[in-house]
Amino acid sequence: MVIFFDIDGTIVDDKTHEIPGSAIRSVEKLVENGHIPIVNTGRAYFQVGHRVTRMAFRGFACGCGMEVLLDGKWLVRVKPPAQLRRKSVEISRKYGMCSFYETQDGGILLDGAHSVHPIMSREVERLREAGFPIHELMPGQEPDFLKFVTFQGPEGDVSGFKKELEADYTIIDRENAMYELVLKGYSKAAGMERILKQLNLGPENTLAIGDSTNDLPMFRLAKHTVCMGGGMDQVKQMCEYVTATVMDDGIEKALKHYGLI
């Protein structure tokens, strides 16, 4: 079986940013038992971090399917065309959104005052402290990014923002007025499909484990679905099995529930 794992809130605990030893051992046991563990995350590949890449995963579907790596070989690696990247920055500014652009080197591209928001600013500082590059968009500079997240500013117009970009991006509502924008045609499900095609396997051979609304596309494709105990209510309602939280050995318990380890 191919098992697809989200990272944040699934492999890595959202509060402590720790990976429990039980999760590391469980992924190793999957491989020993002949299964194929794959990371499926919204993060850019270079933002996954060494703690995860050193685990026994065979592949990585990153950036919501925009970067797909299997057994050390890139299957997919794309980003929005230059004209759309420029348009994205302009539309974010026009409608008063606070946007943070995720780059392929694992960093964040900030657009001055247009990237100031208390929730995301804390995440930017965490990444900075962890050594990931933080870029500043300079006047006249070509914006270069994989995808982006945005928050409604104090006077932001979300409906106008969505209307201008919905033809180019899939816009994922992450709650708390936060939206994730992924190039149209790419998703966690698309990343799954690319890997399954390479492995010559079908969705009937899959299990997906996640916790957030950007995991729902892979939940709709996977044969079996698991939501972490700390996951969003909307995700819990759409999964087959709800396991324990990350730090309460949720990964290990889920894999044992399905008899995989």
Side-chain angles (χ1 to χ4, degrees), residues 7-53:
I7 294 180
D8 298 295
T10 302
I11 292 291
V12 178
D13 182 62
D14 279 334
K15 293 181 180 178
T16 66
H17 305 298
E18 293 181 7
I19 301 175
S22 61
I24 296 171
R25 293 189 298 272
S26 295
V27 175
E28 292 173 351
K29 190 65 176 176
L30 281 174
V31 176
E32 290 175 15
N33 291 349
H35 301 294
I36 304 172
I38 303 287
V39 165
N40 197 352
T41 179
R43 294 191 194 187
Y45 176 72
F46 283 113
Q47 201 184 97
V48 168
H50 295 307
R51 292 184 305 162
V52 177
T53 58

Side-chain angles (χ1 to χ4, degrees), residues 110 123-136:
L110 302 177
E123 175 66 8
V124 170
E125 285 310 306
R126 185 186 72 79
L127 292 172
R128 192 194 306 273
E129 290 172 3
F132 291 102
I134 307 299
H135 309 279
E136 294 286 346

Side-chain angles (χ1 to χ4, degrees), residues 179-196:
Y179 303 88
E180 183 174 21
L181 286 88
V182 180
L183 191 62
K184 208 78 167 182
Y186 294 88
S187 67
K188 287 194 173 185
M192 287 175 66
E193 288 175 333
R194 189 66 186 83
I195 283 178
L196 291 173

Side-chain angles (χ1 to χ4, degrees), residues 10 20 22-23 26 209 226-229 241-256:
T10 302
S22 61
S26 295
I209 308 178
V226 174
C227 181
M228 301 300 293
Y241 177 72
V242 178
T243 188
T245 62
V246 177
M247 299 309 293
D248 192 26
D249 303 324
I251 291 295
E252 181 181 56
K253 290 174 180 176
L255 298 177
K256 284 184 175 180

